[in-house]
Amino acid sequence: MAELFAGLTTSHVPAIGAAIDNGKTNEPYWQPVFKGFEFSKAWLEKLKPDVAIVVYNDHASAFSLEIIPTFAIGCAEEFPPADEGWGARPVPVVKGHPDLAWHIAQSAILDEFDMTIVNKMEVDHGLTVPLNLMCGTPKEWPFPVIPICVNVVQYPPPTGHRCYMLGQAIRRAVESFDKDLRVLVFGTGGMSHQLQGPRAGLTNQQFDYAFLDRLTQDPQALTKITPLEYLREAGSEGIELVMWLVMRGALNDKVEEIYRFHHIPVSNTALGHIILENR
Ligand SMILES: [Fe+2]
């Protein structure tokens, strides 16, 4: 049977992708950011997952404002990098895992989560930047990926509680898949940041640290944060943190925190990263 053994979160700041693509990772501004992922890359290389589920949000690359699925799952054989205005990023095409993806879609939908099934999709920085941070810049990504998109772009986003329950449904789906696969789940986005308006550039270290603590120890408390609280405390784009709760819902109640990293500023955001393993 398939096993969901660990989860991690990373921010997916597009400027990180641009720093990689333009050879700037050794510049003083970027050095501490990439250094913060050295442990994580070694951890992942050792664990060699068979497949990763990457929870992220599309930034109007695959879905325009004409169609906005709340939850979508990529069931295709592959997902090319999207052109986000400067040409497609020079990163490998993301290979999917259609068998497991369709199984998760079936299981989650019969479990009363209305997933949109996506058979053709380009993936943007929301998915490719976390892969870069955890895997570097290989010729091929080291494992297939099942993209799961959450709408946090257009109000109303799903609640953190709903996202946490989706994570639990994903866990049930993975554990009922009839092949021996070791599955890793990524939650991406966040942490505190606001990209526009009078509060543009807002970050909130205190909120972020408390969120990281509770993510490990008391995720139920995080499921009670309302969209308005995210807006007030973590800025307008802080709502991306609900995607971390999908990851957390997919893990055991008790987890071991393997590593965490927090850095301000990255572009105009607070970057957060954590690795959790099931006990
Ligand atoms: Fe984002």
Side-chain angles (χ1 to χ4, degrees), residues 12-14 57 59 125-126 152-153 188-190 193 195 237 240 243:
H12 59 221
V13 185
N57 68 287
H59 302 77
H125 67 272
V152 290
V153 170
T188 76
H193 64 301
L195 301 180
E237 277 68 41
E240 291 187 342
M243 297 184 289

Side-chain angles (χ1 to χ4, degrees), residues 40-244:
S40 312
K41 285 161 70 179
W43 172 86
L44 185 58
E45 211 175 307
K46 206 169 92 190
L47 282 168
K48 296 193 190 335
D50 296 307
V51 53
I53 296 167
V54 178
V55 182
Y56 78 108
N57 68 287
D58 177 74
H59 302 77
S61 303
F63 310 120
S64 70
L65 290 180
E66 291 174 3
I67 297 178
I68 306 163
T70 299
F71 298 123
I73 181 165
C75 296
E77 294 277 352
E78 58 181 37
F79 306 94
D83 180 348
E84 298 180 62
W86 296 272
R89 291 196 58 216
V91 293
V93 168
V94 176
K95 302 289 182 194
H97 197 300
D99 284 355
L100 180 57
W102 274 103
H103 176 80
I104 293 171
Q106 172 184 264
S107 177
I109 290 167
L110 297 182
D111 217 353
E112 304 183 347
F113 282 86
D114 306 317
M115 310 295 290
T116 298
I117 293 165
V118 186
N119 291 316
K120 186 177 181 192
M121 179 166 68
E122 294 181 347
V123 289
D124 69 14
H125 67 272
L127 185 134
T128 58
V129 164
L131 289 180
N132 279 133
L133 286 170
M134 292 302 300
C135 309
T137 52
K139 284 211 174 76
E140 301 288 337
W141 299 119
F143 38 75
V145 169
I146 297 174
I148 292 191
C149 305
V150 177
N151 166 43
V152 290
V153 170
Q154 172 66 55
Y155 187 85
T159 63
H161 182 238
R162 186 71 175 155
C163 288
Y164 188 79
M165 290 195 298
L166 175 63
Q168 292 175 320
I170 289 170
R171 168 79 171 269
R172 288 192 288 275
V174 167
E175 290 185 340
S176 64
F177 188 65
D178 188 18
K179 286 201 182 80
D180 289 333
L181 294 176
R182 295 177 68 253
V183 181
L184 171 68
V185 57
F186 286 50
T188 76
M191 295 192 83
S192 54
H193 64 301
Q194 171 145 345
L195 301 180
Q196 70 278 306
R199 297 203 307 166
L202 172 146
T203 55
N204 184 343
Q205 181 172 290
Q206 200 180 355
F207 175 89
D208 289 350
Y209 281 12
F211 195 95
L212 287 162
D213 288 344
R214 292 199 180 111
L215 196 68
T216 304
Q217 294 158 13
D218 187 13
Q220 292 291 348
L222 298 179
T223 66
K224 297 182 178 69
I225 300 176
T226 64
L228 196 60
E229 278 177 272
Y230 279 113
L231 180 67
R232 189 175 59 226
E233 300 298 327
S236 52
E237 277 68 41
I239 189 65
E240 291 187 342
L241 287 166
V242 296
M243 297 184 289
W244 292 28

Side-chain angles (χ1 to χ4, degrees), residues 17-34:
I20 294 167
D21 300 345
N22 296 309
K24 294 184 174 174
T25 56
N26 281 322
E27 290 186 359
Y29 181 87
W30 289 108
Q31 261 179 356
V33 176
F34 290 97

